[in-house]
Amino acid sequence: MIPYLTKALGNLFRAPATEKFPKGEPPKAAPGYRGRIIYHPETCVNCGMCMRVCAPQCMERTMEPLPNGDQKITLTFDLTSCTFCSMCADFCARKSIELSDDYMIVGTQPEDFLVSGTFIKKAPPPKLTPEQIAELKAKAEAAKAAKAAAEKADG
Ligand code: SF4
Ligand code: SF4
């Protein structure tokens, strides 16, 4: 009991082991620091690879069909379960995910820890009917014949 008491009393007069957070600009993170995720939906192709490699499964994807056949895709990262391992970024062939050097991930609401992005996935073009295919073929043949004739006339 006595040694603990001595230690406790000694700690009362010791300087704190932690450093005070400085006023003004926060210090820069060390090179290679893996902080807040940045998602670039404009380059994402919705391959789902990032979701497959995320061990804590902290990503959620919603796919909302639109009246014109397109799809509204939203990918959301929940930083409260993210371990900042960078696997999602490393496996993204499109470089749509990066881990920034922002280490000040603080908030008071669950939404403060969500990183989300949305993009529109275009619907594939409608299939051509056999008649349309035949028409296109005929046009291509006619163009080819016209070109051959022109070349022949030129000598
Ligand atoms: S962020 Fe990258 S890995 Fe994830 S779905 Fe988009 S393209 Fe695929
Ligand atoms: S950094 Fe790791 S834990 Fe966080 S979303 Fe990416 S794969 Fe998941």
Side-chain angles (χ1 to χ4, degrees):
M1 184 71 179
I2 297 291
Y4 299 118
L5 207 56
T6 318
K7 186 81 178 162
L9 285 173
N11 282 344
L12 283 178
F13 302 101
R14 217 168 263 143
T18 51
E19 287 176 23
K20 269 193 177 175
F21 197 82
K23 285 182 182 163
E25 274 293 299
K28 289 254 178 261
Y33 185 86
R34 300 195 298 260
R36 182 187 292 276
I37 284 179
I38 300 174
Y39 170 52
H40 302 285
E42 66 282 1
T43 54
C44 178
V45 291
N46 192 32
C47 67
M49 180 57 88
C50 51
M51 300 181 76
R52 284 199 285 277
V53 298
C54 178
Q57 294 289 285
C58 50
M59 273 168 251
E60 192 184 288
R61 177 175 54 181
T62 58
M63 297 193 264
E64 184 192 326
L66 298 176
N68 66 353
D70 293 352
Q71 269 188 321
K72 187 176 166 189
I73 315 271
T74 302
L75 197 61
T76 304
F77 301 75
D78 184 354
L79 300 185
T80 60
S81 41
C82 176
T83 60
F84 304 93
C85 65
S86 188
M87 289 288 275
C88 54
D90 293 348
F91 274 83
C92 177
R94 303 280 301 173
K95 304 272 178 251
S96 306
I97 303 170
E98 35 171 331
L99 275 80
S100 71
D101 62 358
D102 178 7
Y103 55 85
M104 295 211 289
I105 303 171
V106 289
T108 53
Q109 304 296 321
E111 305 80 60
D112 297 338
F113 300 97
L114 300 181
V115 172
S116 193
T118 297
F119 66 97
I120 303 295
K121 184 180 171 192
K122 288 274 172 210
K127 275 194 170 176
L128 294 176
T129 61
E131 293 77 24
Q132 287 171 318
I133 294 172
E135 193 183 329
L136 284 174
K137 272 186 181 171
K139 275 186 184 168
E141 286 298 326
K144 205 170 148 188
K147 192 180 170 199
E151 280 171 1
K152 200 173 172 187
D154 285 347

